[in-house]
């Protein structure tokens, strides 16, 4: 009897992997990347690594993070990932091919796709339906989504020229109003006591230290604790009104639902809903992060 062509029994795990697609999904910001292994629309495992931003990081830096943090935590599981979908801040179309190559080298997945975080937000929020997808976190962004692509985008321009509605701009406006006497004096004293900073310290942090946008966004914690103050609440609502006026009006689609992702949108949901109503938009949903929606989206393909 010849055994050369006799198939050996497959393990249960091998059979499961043949029948089910294991998908690796990444939601990456500048400080943290959220990774999720999913099978047929269900989460299997989830970890976090440091952020990956191809705009600032070299190939060597990105490979090191993927190998030392991602691969080190999931050495066996990644062997079963047939496809990878990476959504990241700072990912521009011209960077996608480079990121796909780097992620593919480490994961060895047959299919790798890399997209910007705005498309990830749109897919998580709307699936395959059209709508206006927004991100409100340290920065802000928005896009008109046709169910497949972002077909129009008002450039956010960063917290100096734009980023209306973001944590950085909210913090910038609040700190400026505090020290210019546009907020109650007792609130200024409470801010100084809570942060151990006076006007000189604030100037130092904003103009002479790295990442002033993150510093200003951290001020939103203090703002959130004082929303009962009329002037504070009004500032927050006005910040969101600016976001609608200067970003969403350009799409000329007030008939479409608006959904948002991000820590600022999530924690200031009440003020955001009020601003949407004032500006004539229909806010239909707010999520803190996109991962659950992305797992559902890719599980239904």
């Amino acid at each position: 009897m010849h055994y050369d062509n006799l198939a050996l029994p497959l393990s249960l795990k091998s059979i499961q992997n043949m029948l089910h697609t294991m998908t690796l999904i990444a939601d990456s910001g500048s400080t943290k990347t959220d990774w999720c292994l999913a099978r047929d629309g269900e989460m299997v495992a989830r970890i976090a690594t440091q952020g990956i931003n191809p705009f600032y990081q070299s190939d060597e830096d990105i490979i090191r993070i993927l190998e030392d943090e991602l691969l080190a935590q999931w050495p066996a599981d990644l062997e079963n990932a047939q496809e990878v979908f990476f959504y990241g801040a700072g990912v521009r179309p011209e960077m996608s091919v480079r990121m796909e190559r780097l992620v593919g080298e480490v994961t060895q997945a047959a299919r790798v796709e890399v997209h910007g975080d705005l498309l990830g937000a749109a897919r998580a929020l709307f699936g395959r339906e059209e709508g206006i997808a927004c991100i409100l976190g340290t920065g802000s962004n928005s896009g008109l989504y046709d169910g497949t692509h972002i077909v129009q985008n008002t450039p956010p321009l960063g917290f100096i020229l734009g980023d209306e509605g973001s944590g950085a701009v909210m913090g910038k406006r609040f700190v400026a109003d505090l020290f210019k006497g546009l907020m109650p004096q007792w609130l200024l004293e409470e801010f100084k006591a809570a942060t151990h900073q006076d006007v000189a310290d604030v100037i130092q942090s904003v103009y002479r230290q790295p990442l002033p946008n993150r510093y200003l966004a951290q001020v939103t914690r203090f703002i959130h604790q004082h929303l009962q103050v009329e002037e504070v609440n009004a500032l927050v609502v006005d910040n969101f009104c600016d976001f609608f006026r200067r970003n969403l009006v350009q799409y000329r689609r007030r008939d479409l639902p608006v959904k948002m992702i991000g820590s600022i949108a999530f924690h200031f949901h009440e003020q955001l809903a009020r601003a949407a109503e004032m500006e004539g938009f229909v806010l239909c949903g707010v999520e803190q992060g996109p991962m659950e929606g992305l797992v559902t989206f890719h599980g239904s393909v």
Side-chain angles (χ1 to χ4, degrees):
M1 183 179 292
H2 298 283
Y3 296 93
D4 294 345
N5 298 319
L6 184 64
L8 295 175
L10 292 171
S11 68
L12 178 60
K13 185 174 182 179
S14 297
I15 294 173
Q16 289 175 333
N17 290 334
M18 291 173 61
L19 296 176
H20 302 280
T21 300
M22 186 77 83
T23 302
L24 178 63
I25 303 171
D27 168 40
S28 186
S30 296
T31 58
K32 186 188 77 167
T33 303
D34 189 15
W35 299 88
C36 179
L37 273 172
R39 183 190 293 118
D40 298 336
E42 298 290 334
M43 289 190 184
V44 176
R46 193 167 176 177
I47 63 168
T49 68
Q50 65 177 286
I52 297 175
N53 190 322
F55 187 78
Y56 296 107
Q57 293 168 313
S58 66
D59 288 8
E60 293 74 18
D61 290 335
I62 294 171
I63 288 290
R64 178 180 52 78
I65 294 171
L66 293 173
E67 290 182 342
D68 294 351
E69 299 186 38
L70 175 64
L71 193 59
Q73 295 186 67
W74 282 341
D77 293 317
L78 288 184
E79 295 177 2
N80 301 320
Q82 296 102 321
E83 55 186 18
V84 181
F85 297 94
F86 183 99
Y87 300 93
V91 175
R92 299 176 180 175
E94 64 271 18
M95 299 176 183
S96 296
V97 174
R98 172 182 165 228
M99 276 298 299
E100 287 170 0
R101 172 177 56 82
L102 296 174
V103 173
E105 285 180 10
V106 174
T107 63
Q108 298 297 307
R111 177 186 182 187
V112 178
E113 290 188 16
V114 175
H115 304 283
D117 57 351
L118 184 57
L119 181 61
R123 287 177 167 179
L125 291 168
F126 290 103
R128 291 169 179 79
E129 303 294 328
E130 65 176 344
I132 300 175
C134 308
I135 300 173
L136 290 184
T138 298
S140 67
N141 204 353
S142 67
L144 183 61
Y145 178 62
D146 68 357
T148 304
H149 305 288
I150 300 294
V151 295
Q152 189 177 347
N153 168 242
T154 304
L157 299 180
F159 78 104
I160 295 177
L161 298 177
D163 268 3
E164 300 87 1
S166 70
V169 171
M170 186 188 299
K172 179 178 72 171
R173 290 183 57 181
F174 176 76
V175 170
D177 283 5
L178 269 183
F179 286 100
K180 286 179 178 289
L182 301 175
M183 291 283 173
Q185 180 64 30
W186 67 263
L187 189 61
L188 172 60
E189 299 306 321
E190 192 166 320
F191 176 83
K192 290 179 179 179
T195 62
H196 306 290
Q197 291 189 320
D198 58 19
V199 65
D201 298 314
V202 171
I203 294 296
Q204 176 76 16
S205 297
V206 172
Y207 291 100
R208 298 182 180 178
Q209 296 298 321
L211 303 174
N213 58 328
R214 291 188 193 173
Y215 163 77
L216 290 168
Q218 291 174 358
V219 176
T220 59
R221 297 179 182 178
F222 184 88
I223 294 173
H224 192 268
Q225 295 168 355
H226 295 83
L227 285 173
Q228 75 281 4
V229 180
E230 182 179 351
E231 293 89 342
V232 176
N233 205 292
L235 181 148
V236 173
V237 173
D238 190 55
N239 184 39
F240 291 142
C241 284
D242 275 352
F243 174 76
F244 288 102
R245 294 175 195 142
R246 297 176 61 81
N247 297 276
L248 272 57
V249 168
Q250 289 87 320
Y251 303 137
R252 297 178 173 83
R253 292 299 306 271
R254 292 179 189 267
D255 58 302
L256 288 179
V258 176
K259 294 184 180 181
M260 307 215 179
I261 273 179
S263 57
I264 294 300
F266 185 80
H267 290 293
F268 294 90
H269 186 184
E270 181 180 333
Q271 290 73 29
L272 183 60
R274 190 182 314 156
E277 182 179 5
M278 291 169 63
E279 298 302 321
F281 289 90
V282 180
L283 182 63
C284 295
V286 174
E287 300 290 339
Q288 189 165 11
M291 188 56 76
E292 288 77 8
L294 286 172
V295 169
T296 299
F297 176 86
H298 288 294
S300 62
V301 174

